[in-house]
Amino acid sequence: MSFITIDNLNVINVELTDYCNAACPQCARFKWDGSLNEEKVNKNHTTLELIKDKIPIPVIKRLRTLYSVGTFGDPLMNPETADIYEYVGSHNPNCELGIHTNGGGRSKEFWQHLAKIGVRVCFSIDGLEDTNHLYRRNVEWSKVMDNADAFIKAGGKADWKWLIFKHNEHQVEEARTLADKMGFDNFVTSYSDRWKEYNWVTGEVRDIDKFPAGDYFLEKPTSQEEKYYVPQSTKVSDVEFNNTSKINCWACTGGKYEIYLRANGNVQPCCMLGELEIHESKELIKDFDSINLNKTSLEDILNGEYFKLLQQGIDGMPGSHRLKNCFYSCGV
């Protein structure tokens, strides 16, 4: 299998920041006990200078897509978000630009500007006026609606993504009608997989129906089915896991060759590999500077040992270190 190289890279998911205006209880910003993951958050922005210095112009001109779905932050918290998208668009007008956000930040003028740049926005809105704040804590409903309205009326292309909980599952159709009235292109629903989760640090498996959120609990929706979980904690037989079938790597499928650039500078094929310092990838990385864009060139990272070892496992090479995250997330 051809893996990701400096010569075929054509999609970048960039975590623009690890700062956030919200406090969503099941977000990776928080530990299982509900405390803030202080060592991981509120430390980094991906700067325009880094993009200019470290992402070669030939790569930018080849990009199909530049989008931002953060692990620890909301893209709008980066003061240079619009500048970064403008820079990429100036070198590659055909590049699709995208952002996933809670929509609660910035001014109407910013949103109008974002529409003119041509950035497609996926608004993560998980309720109506009386429920959105129960998961999207600290996000003001009226502010989100004003921002979305300003963006759409300025010509922006917008999607509404709704995460289903027990407290909002009865409002889905009402929200779908509102989304259509406001001019959203799509309204999609999804489910949290955090009700059943594996802790890579402690080895603990959690299987719960409610989740503490300060002085109240989030509850699993009655419509959630087993199929909606990412089976990271599911054990498979050694024969099934250790076979030599190639993994259908999502990061390089159908002509797409993607990387995930973390706000701390780490480069990995996709966000499903989790935190490189904690999850399985740490077993493949001898020197973290060697996979960090602040310390090492993008070409050297993609040519380096980490990406080579990942490819060997994905290809099913005998004796290779095959990551369970790759196996579970993409399958064979």
Side-chain angles (χ1 to χ4, degrees):
M1 179 192 72
S2 175
F3 204 49
I4 307 152
T5 71
I6 196 69
D7 296 317
N8 64 20
L9 174 63
N10 57 18
V11 177
I12 297 177
N13 176 8
V14 53
E15 182 184 42
L16 287 170
T17 183
D18 54 31
Y19 289 77
C20 191
N21 58 311
C24 308
Q26 291 185 333
C27 176
R29 292 176 61 83
F30 294 92
K31 300 176 182 178
W32 277 18
D33 63 4
S35 62
L36 187 66
N37 207 339
E38 293 184 2
E39 64 273 21
K40 298 291 182 182
V41 304
N42 303 340
K43 299 182 183 300
N44 304 286
H45 294 307
T46 298
T47 64
L48 176 61
E49 180 182 8
L50 179 77
I51 299 296
K52 287 182 174 180
D53 290 348
K54 297 294 187 176
I55 309 295
I57 293 297
V59 171
I60 290 178
K61 288 184 175 180
R62 193 192 315 123
L63 288 180
R64 295 180 179 181
T65 307
L66 177 84
Y67 69 110
S68 182
V69 184
T71 298
F72 292 114
D74 189 284
L76 299 200
M77 295 297 289
N78 184 331
E80 295 184 307
T81 290
D83 298 328
I84 289 171
Y85 282 102
E86 280 189 294
Y87 171 74
V88 172
S90 69
H91 287 287
N92 184 352
N94 296 318
C95 180
E96 295 181 357
L97 307 173
I99 281 179
H100 288 233
T101 173
N102 60 59
R106 303 299 193 100
S107 65
K108 290 183 182 180
E109 291 73 23
F110 171 86
W111 285 97
Q112 291 164 347
H113 181 54
L114 210 60
K116 289 179 173 60
I117 297 172
V119 180
R120 188 178 193 97
V121 177
C122 179
F123 288 87
S124 295
I125 310 172
D126 305 323
L128 298 176
E129 186 171 10
D130 61 331
T131 54
N132 185 58
H133 63 282
L134 294 177
Y135 184 67
R136 300 286 166 181
R137 294 186 300 179
N138 301 336
V139 177
E140 185 181 343
W141 163 262
S142 60
K143 177 75 169 174
V144 177
M145 291 294 103
D146 286 345
N147 288 342
D149 186 59
F151 177 75
I152 293 170
K153 286 181 177 177
K157 301 297 183 182
D159 302 308
W160 182 329
K161 184 178 180 182
W162 177 288
L163 197 59
I164 298 178
F165 296 94
K166 188 174 182 179
H167 65 259
N168 68 14
E169 59 185 345
H170 66 289
Q171 297 177 320
V172 169
E173 293 311 313
E174 184 180 352
R176 194 188 307 275
T177 299
L178 176 60
D180 183 62
K181 181 180 178 180
M182 291 181 66
F184 281 88
D185 283 357
N186 299 289
F187 179 89
V188 296
T189 59
S190 63
Y191 291 89
S192 170
D193 61 8
R194 299 292 170 88
W195 306 107
K196 188 176 294 184
E197 197 171 21
Y198 178 77
N199 189 320
W200 289 94
V201 178
T202 65
E204 179 186 359
V205 176
R206 178 174 62 183
D207 189 352
I208 56 176
D209 293 324
K210 61 181 183 178
F211 195 98
D215 58 353
Y216 61 94
F217 285 91
L218 297 174
E219 293 185 77
K220 185 167 66 174
T222 57
S223 54
Q224 182 125 357
E225 299 176 29
E226 188 69 22
K227 66 181 180 180
Y228 294 110
Y229 294 109
V230 176
Q232 291 178 333
S233 61
T234 303
K235 293 184 178 180
V236 296
S237 71
D238 290 340
V239 172
E240 185 180 2
F241 177 72
N242 292 323
N243 69 35
T244 56
S245 299
K246 291 184 179 182
I247 290 172
N248 298 317
C249 180
W250 178 84
C252 48
T253 298
K256 177 182 73 172
Y257 296 92
E258 178 168 350
I259 61 167
Y260 178 42
L261 171 60
R262 289 278 308 282
N264 65 6
N266 285 347
V267 176
Q268 55 200 84
C270 73
C271 62
M272 296 306 294
L273 292 182
E275 299 173 60
L276 303 187
E277 307 91 341
I278 294 177
H279 296 150
E280 286 182 291
S281 282
K282 68 182 180 181
E283 300 171 16
L284 304 182
I285 303 170
K286 296 176 182 177
D287 176 14
F288 278 88
D289 284 353
S290 70
I291 52 91
N292 190 286
L293 200 56
N294 293 298
K295 306 287 186 179
T296 305
S297 74
L298 182 57
E299 183 172 8
D300 286 345
I301 292 173
L302 298 180
N303 285 335
E305 182 180 40
Y306 175 52
F307 274 74
K308 288 180 180 177
L309 292 174
L310 283 174
Q311 181 179 4
Q312 290 171 9
I314 289 169
D315 284 349
M317 182 178 295
S320 62
H321 191 129
R322 195 172 175 92
L323 297 188
K324 291 183 175 66
N325 261 6
C326 292
F327 182 86
Y328 290 140
S329 298
C330 294
V332 295

